[in-house]
Amino acid sequence: AVCSPLQRCQETLAPLLAARPGLPLHTDERIGECHYGDWSGRKLSELADEPLMKIVQQHPSAAAFPGGESMRTMQNRAVDAVREWNARIEEEHGADAVFLMCSHGDVIKSVVADALGMHLDLFQRIHVDPCSVTAIRYTPTRPFLLRLGDTGDLAPLIPAAAPPAENAAEGGGNAVVGGGAGAA
């Protein structure tokens, strides 16, 4: 497990770590919350009239927090962290290894936007609930979003004992083009 250094993420992972005492926990500041600078600790209601708030919501790639960082910087550091951890875990445990990262809403949404090939300016259209699971599978050719803000059954995310054919992860397999399941 890889975790943001903020206490709320550490607390979120506590039950998992108690259930799996051998699971190593790594803290990575790159998946920590956006550095909001002078905005840190202030309520959203008091920031609503700030001109920057409109930029954050409608043109986040241009948003830079006074005394903090830009949204672009936050996305870049988080995506770099996710991709580096993915490569490390794959090298150490194989291509079907699964690992967990515990982070924050804007960070998760920005990583999802990157995985979907979306511009950062569109990331506010993505929604993730607190303590939900978002799963992305990185392959040599591109990432695949498997879950977004899921709070249901996560068992299908566990790799099968005998992994499916490589091309199935790449969108291959025997599915009918255009759907067709259940069609008469």
Side-chain angles (χ1 to χ4, degrees):
V2 182
C3 189
S4 160
L6 293 185
Q7 182 177 352
R8 64 184 181 263
C9 283
Q10 305 278 335
E11 290 172 0
T12 297
L13 288 180
L16 173 66
L17 296 173
R20 307 261 325 256
L23 185 67
L25 177 63
H26 305 276
T27 300
D28 192 328
E29 296 202 14
R30 297 174 301 169
I31 63 166
E33 184 67 276
C34 187
H35 304 297
Y36 295 113
D38 297 345
W39 280 28
S40 294
R42 294 177 63 191
K43 294 180 181 178
L44 287 174
S45 59
E46 70 181 72
L47 294 168
D49 293 330
E50 292 277 345
L52 180 57
M53 183 58 86
K54 185 174 183 178
I55 304 301
V56 168
Q57 294 300 315
Q58 296 181 10
H59 189 38
S61 67
F65 296 98
E69 71 181 336
S70 70
M71 298 294 279
R72 286 183 329 279
T73 299
M74 179 266 304
Q75 182 186 40
N76 288 337
R77 69 173 160 80
V79 168
D80 285 349
V82 169
R83 289 176 183 258
E84 286 172 24
W85 276 104
N86 188 75
R88 176 179 171 182
I89 299 298
E90 183 174 335
E91 183 178 309
E92 292 176 11
H93 303 284
D96 289 324
V98 175
F99 67 102
L100 170 104
M101 297 186 103
C102 186
S103 190
H104 309 276
D106 282 348
V107 174
I108 295 166
K109 292 181 342 181
S110 73
V111 170
V112 167
D114 173 75
L116 293 175
M118 291 173 59
H119 194 278
L120 182 61
D121 286 341
L122 302 176
F123 101 118
Q124 295 292 19
R125 297 177 181 189
I126 299 169
H127 176 80
V128 294
D129 285 321
C131 295
S132 65
V133 172
T134 295
I136 301 169
R137 177 171 181 173
Y138 289 86
T139 72
T141 56
R142 65 184 168 261
F144 292 86
L145 180 63
L146 304 177
R147 295 281 193 282
L148 178 65
D150 197 339
T151 58
D153 181 15
L154 303 175
L157 295 174
I158 299 170
E166 177 66 28
N167 69 345
E170 294 292 329
N174 293 325
V176 175
V177 175

